[in-house]
Structure formats: C-alpha cells, structure tokens
Amino acid sequence: MPIRFHRLNDQKEVLVNEVGDHLVVPSGTFARLVQKELDKEGEADLYGDLVAGHFIAESPIPTLIDVLATRYRTKKSFLDNFTTLHLFVVSLRCEHTCHYCQVSRVTQDKGKFDMSRAHIDKGIDIMMQSPSPHVTMEFQGGEALLAFDNIVYAVDRTKELALLHNKTVTYVICTNLAVINEEMLNYCKENNILISSSLDGPASVHNENRKRPGKNSYELAIRGIELSRKILGKSRVSALMTTTNLSLEHPIEIVEEYYRQGFWNIFLRPISPYGFAVKNEAKNKYEMDKFLSFYKKALNRILEYNLQGEFFREDYATIILRKILTPFPVGYVDLNSPTGAVTNVVVFNYDGAVFASDESRMLAEMKDFTFQLGHLDTDSYEDLMYGEKARKIVAAGTNESLPGCSDCAYQLYCGADPIHHHATQGDMIGYRPTSTFCQRNMEIIRYLIELMDSDKKIKSIFESWVKPQF
C-alpha cells in the first residue's frame, strides 16, 4: 500500500498511510517492512496493526479499497464548495503603527484609502457566485472600524443578496478594538457579527509590539475585549497573537495572559515574512529554531493547564491534530493541498485589486504583484477564480506533486504555501531543505506525534481539542 515514514526520535519512527492514519513503531521497522523481513507469526500484533491500518495488504487489490477511496475523498472535501472566505479590506487607515505591520497603513485621505461602494458591490457580487452555500465575509484594514459605515453598507447589502442566492453568511470584523464602542457592538449583535482582535501578551509585550499614540494599545484592547464580551458574549470574541523577537523571550507570560483574560485558546503564530514587516529586522526577524523553542515552551505550559483539569488549547496544534486524529478536512489556508489560496480564500483590496490571499496583498504593498488575480473593475468571476494566474498558484501549491513533499510522511498533515516560498525563496515551488515553512511544520507535527506516543494523558488532551466545543 502507499506508505511513508519519518524518524520520530532515536528509538522510534512513524508510518503514515495514504489517508493520514499513523502508526509509531520501533526504528528500523520500515526498512524491514520494505525488505519483507517481518515475521508474520512472531510479530503478529505488529503485522495485524499494519494490515488493519491499511499500511500493507495481503492481496494486490485490498477488499476495503473503496473505503480508502471514500476516506481520501473526505480528506479533500474542502474543495467541494471552492472559495468560502472572502476578505474585504474596507480601509487602509489605522491609528496604530505596529512595527510588524505587513501593509502600509495610512491615517488620512478617507476617499483615497477607503474601499468605494462600487468596489464593495462588485466584491459582494463575486462572493455570491461562489459555489459554496456557506460563505464568510471578513472585514479587514488598516483598522476596519475606521470605515464602519462601509461595513454597515456591505452587511446590509449582503443580507439582501444572500436571501436571493440561498446562502448563509458569517460576518467577521478584524479590529485592534481601540476605536470600538457600544453603538458598533450593538450593530454587531443585531447582525451576528464576530469580533477578531489582537492580543500579543501582557502589557509590556503588547504595547511594545503594537504601538499607538498614548502607548495604551494593551489597555484599549482589554477594554475592548471586555466590552465586546459584555454585549456579544464570550464565544463571539477571539484574539490572535504575533510572535516578534520580544515575544520569543516570554512564552510562559504570553500563555498566562491569555488564560488570565479568560480565553479558551491561543494561536501561537510566527511573524509573516511579507510586506513592511520585513523592514524592521531587529524586531521581526529570527531563526525558525528560536520560534520552535518558543512554541514548545508555550505548548508545554498550555498542557500543564490541561493536566490540571482546565480546557485550554493551542489553535495551530489543534488544526494539525484534526488532520492527524480525525477523518475530516480543515479549512486552514496554509495547511491545505491544493493550497487554500484561491480555493479557500480570496481578498478584495481597498482599491479594487483582487488577491489570492491576505499574504498576497501584503506582497503587493512591496510592489510584488505575482499573486494579484485581477481587478474588480475589469475581471469576471471566471477570470479571477479560473484564470491562468489562479491555475498556476494552485498547481504550485499541490504538495502531492512537489519535490520534497511527494514522499514526505507528513504530506497529508501539511500544505505547500506557494506564497511563502515565493516571498522567502523567490520561487512558488520552493526548496524544501531550506524552507522555513517546511522546517516549522515538520518539527511541530513530529513533536505532537511524539507527545501523544509518550503520554496517554496528553493524547487524551489532544483528542479533547479536536472535538466540537461549546
């Protein structure tokens, strides 16, 4: 049967089959398996696990091959409805000056840097042509709330069209919360709009990372979180953090800040090597080994909470664990193959330009338009989503056919991310031995499997993370 392996540590290796089932075995097992040296009678338990797990077969065409085919289709079923996430950059204006900001924010000229109603209309029309019966409309900036009138206009128009097109729409506003107020939140409550914010850790970290006049970004974020929860409910408010060089020194404090603020989860994200974020190397550039050390320390603190009976999960690990422990797909753009750029997400920029992902528009801010699909003024849905540019991106983001990915044991748990590789290596396909995307994902996946294999309690915790919550 199709089978891949990877060394887990000095004593063990992991085997992975074509649908993502894994089996941890003693080192050398794969070599003996290939050389047909396994003792069917003397190693009956191992042999039975290999047959039952579809790692090997006792006939050229296994009797359950149709079951495997169904499971493989299920893993790839995120493609069935095509693009679901539609990002609307309603304004480039922002009152923060975060040093890791990936776009060029501006503070003036509302007419020039806010999305026009004509482009909002055209973006909504494109969104309504998506084959998916459920779409997400996410408002971004700059600071999206500085153009709250655009958000109200877009939501009201989308609600009318959703009825005509028989679509369910989820609305999300990405905001730093500095300018949020009760009037805005009451509108969000009336229209079931989710709030996604940023929290980089305790005040000393957050205020240094996310600068604004008054040096009170943290205080405003906490105030905004509390007010949003009061009006919308706790489950309707989420937060994301970005790991800077300063963050690397405080993994425990960052986790404990999220726990103290009552969050059930935290997403430990490395800084993205795009746009203006790469200009301040002293604060934003670090080796991937340092991030992985930070990640493991933070994850271990999270596991301590869980071992004490608290439910608290790390989101990136949870996404990977869903791919390892369940038969279902995930909608996370970076870890899909074919890539989630275009197939899962599309971005309508404030000026009408259309991009394959949020990272794509960040590159465009540095005058790299490789991943611009077209423009709302000139291109149709078919031009944007099925054109030559889109096909090239998706082809370069299919890891089953990429060098270094096609024979990797973690292929089904990972993605390809042609945008990352273009930005960091100058090539959409990239070179895996020096890829930071590959380095990060391979080590995190290996570490998660090793943790599950070493401690049944941790495996139970991980299993609880991938179950639907609340």
Side-chain angles (χ1 to χ4, degrees):
M1 299 291 286
I3 182 175
R4 301 174 182 87
F5 88 107
H6 191 80
R7 191 177 307 281
L8 203 58
N9 49 47
D10 290 341
Q11 291 79 39
K12 296 184 178 181
E13 60 195 25
V14 60
L15 310 181
V16 184
N17 69 12
E18 193 73 348
V19 293
D21 297 328
H22 75 282
L23 184 65
V24 177
V25 295
S27 293
T29 300
F30 183 77
R32 293 196 299 121
L33 177 61
V34 170
Q35 295 163 6
K36 294 182 169 52
E37 294 176 354
L38 287 183
D39 184 348
K40 182 177 180 179
E41 304 300 329
E43 300 175 276
D45 290 343
L46 173 60
Y47 186 86
D49 288 340
L50 290 169
V51 172
H54 305 292
F55 295 95
I56 61 175
E58 295 181 308
S59 60
I61 301 179
T63 55
L64 296 178
I65 189 91
D66 290 340
V67 174
L68 280 178
T70 299
R71 291 183 60 195
Y72 191 83
R73 284 196 298 271
T74 300
K75 284 286 189 181
K76 298 296 184 181
S77 62
F78 64 88
L79 293 169
D80 290 350
N81 293 320
F82 207 53
T83 313
T84 56
L85 177 59
H86 300 76
L87 306 183
F88 286 72
V89 183
V90 291
S91 178
L92 208 60
R93 293 180 291 135
C94 188
E95 33 56 70
H96 273 60
T97 54
C98 308
H99 64 72
Y100 59 64
C101 185
Q102 294 138 347
V103 295
S104 57
R105 62 270 177 187
V106 295
T107 58
Q108 70 285 337
D109 202 340
K110 177 178 178 180
K112 183 178 180 181
F113 295 105
D114 282 12
M115 198 174 195
S116 71
R117 298 291 168 89
H119 286 150
I120 291 175
D121 289 346
K122 291 177 181 179
I124 294 171
D125 290 342
I126 293 291
M127 180 173 67
M128 289 299 154
Q129 294 180 62
S130 169
S132 178
H134 185 118
V135 295
T136 296
M137 187 180 202
E138 183 172 303
F139 301 103
Q140 291 197 0
E143 169 49 55
L145 291 181
L146 291 177
F148 189 68
D149 56 336
N150 271 350
I151 294 175
V152 172
Y153 174 83
V155 170
D156 290 349
R157 185 172 190 273
T158 299
K159 288 174 68 176
E160 294 178 3
L161 291 177
L163 293 175
L164 295 175
H165 291 271
N166 196 29
K167 291 192 186 298
T168 301
V169 184
T170 298
Y171 302 98
V172 182
I173 298 176
C174 293
T175 169
N176 59 42
L177 295 173
V179 299
I180 204 163
N181 57 43
E182 291 190 13
E183 181 182 356
M184 294 173 178
L185 286 168
N186 285 328
Y187 180 82
C188 291
K189 182 177 182 180
E190 292 169 4
N191 292 277
N192 295 316
I193 300 174
L194 302 171
I195 296 294
S196 176
S197 187
S198 298
L199 181 63
D200 279 1
S204 58
V205 175
H206 187 92
N207 282 335
E208 180 62 28
N209 282 353
R210 303 181 61 80
K211 294 183 180 295
R212 74 181 307 276
K215 300 180 180 180
N216 60 344
S217 179
Y218 171 84
E219 290 74 16
L220 291 175
I222 297 303
R223 185 214 67 176
I225 289 169
E226 292 174 350
L227 182 61
S228 300
R229 285 173 170 173
K230 178 182 177 181
I231 295 176
L232 303 180
K234 186 175 180 180
S235 64
R236 312 288 291 178
V237 183
S238 63
L240 290 172
M241 63 82 60
T242 299
T243 306
T244 63
N245 263 313
L246 175 62
S247 308
L248 294 174
E249 302 171 12
H250 304 282
I252 306 303
E253 295 90 333
I254 291 171
V255 169
E256 290 177 346
E257 175 68 23
Y258 268 74
Y259 180 80
R260 184 166 53 252
Q261 297 302 334
F263 286 101
W264 297 312
N265 60 307
I266 182 173
F267 198 138
L268 300 169
R269 300 190 306 165
I271 205 156
S272 297
Y274 308 109
F276 287 86
V278 300
K279 282 197 169 183
N280 195 334
E281 291 192 357
K283 294 183 177 181
N284 298 331
K285 187 175 182 179
Y286 45 78
E287 298 299 320
M288 186 51 62
D289 284 344
K290 292 184 177 180
F291 173 78
L292 290 169
S293 176
F294 162 87
Y295 182 89
K296 291 176 183 179
K297 289 176 183 177
L299 181 63
N300 290 339
R301 181 67 184 100
I302 294 168
L303 289 173
E304 287 177 7
Y305 280 120
N306 284 267
L307 290 169
Q308 294 165 7
E310 303 283 350
F311 180 85
F312 188 36
R313 72 184 179 209
E314 199 282 310
D315 284 345
Y316 197 69
T318 302
I319 293 166
I320 293 172
L321 289 166
R322 285 194 181 115
K323 303 189 84 172
I324 295 175
L325 298 174
T326 81
F328 306 112
V330 300
Y332 187 65
V333 173
D334 295 354
L335 292 179
N336 275 344
S337 177
T339 175
V342 182
T343 67
N344 287 144
V345 62
V346 65
V347 178
F348 307 117
N349 205 19
Y350 73 98
D351 58 359
V354 182
F355 294 100
S357 71
D358 201 27
E359 292 78 10
S360 303
R361 67 140 177 154
M362 298 171 190
L363 284 177
E365 293 291 339
M366 300 296 290
K367 309 304 180 185
D368 183 343
F369 301 98
T370 303
F371 298 94
Q372 181 175 338
L373 301 176
H375 198 281
L376 289 171
D377 287 339
T378 56
D379 295 293
S380 67
Y381 177 86
E382 288 74 16
D383 295 333
L384 295 169
M385 310 307 292
Y386 304 122
E388 182 180 350
K389 183 72 72 72
R391 294 198 303 270
K392 182 178 180 181
I393 294 168
V394 173
T398 304
N399 66 13
E400 287 86 352
S401 61
L402 297 181
C405 291
S406 60
D407 57 356
C408 178
Y410 301 147
Q411 177 200 106
L412 206 64
Y413 308 145
C414 196
D417 205 341
I419 300 166
H420 177 97
H421 288 105
H422 170 83
T424 58
Q425 298 183 322
D427 179 79
M428 283 193 198
I429 291 175
Y431 181 61
R432 292 304 179 270
T434 57
S435 164
T436 53
F437 175 85
C438 187
Q439 182 184 357
R440 170 169 57 109
N441 288 325
M442 287 189 70
E443 178 54 21
I444 290 177
I445 293 167
R446 186 206 67 79
Y447 188 60
L448 294 175
I449 294 174
E450 184 179 54
L451 286 173
M452 287 190 287
D453 180 64
S454 64
D455 191 328
K456 291 183 179 180
K457 290 182 180 178
I458 292 179
K459 184 177 182 182
S460 295
I461 290 169
F462 285 165
E463 288 171 343
S464 75
W465 290 5
V466 301
K467 294 177 182 178
Q469 300 294 328
F470 318 110

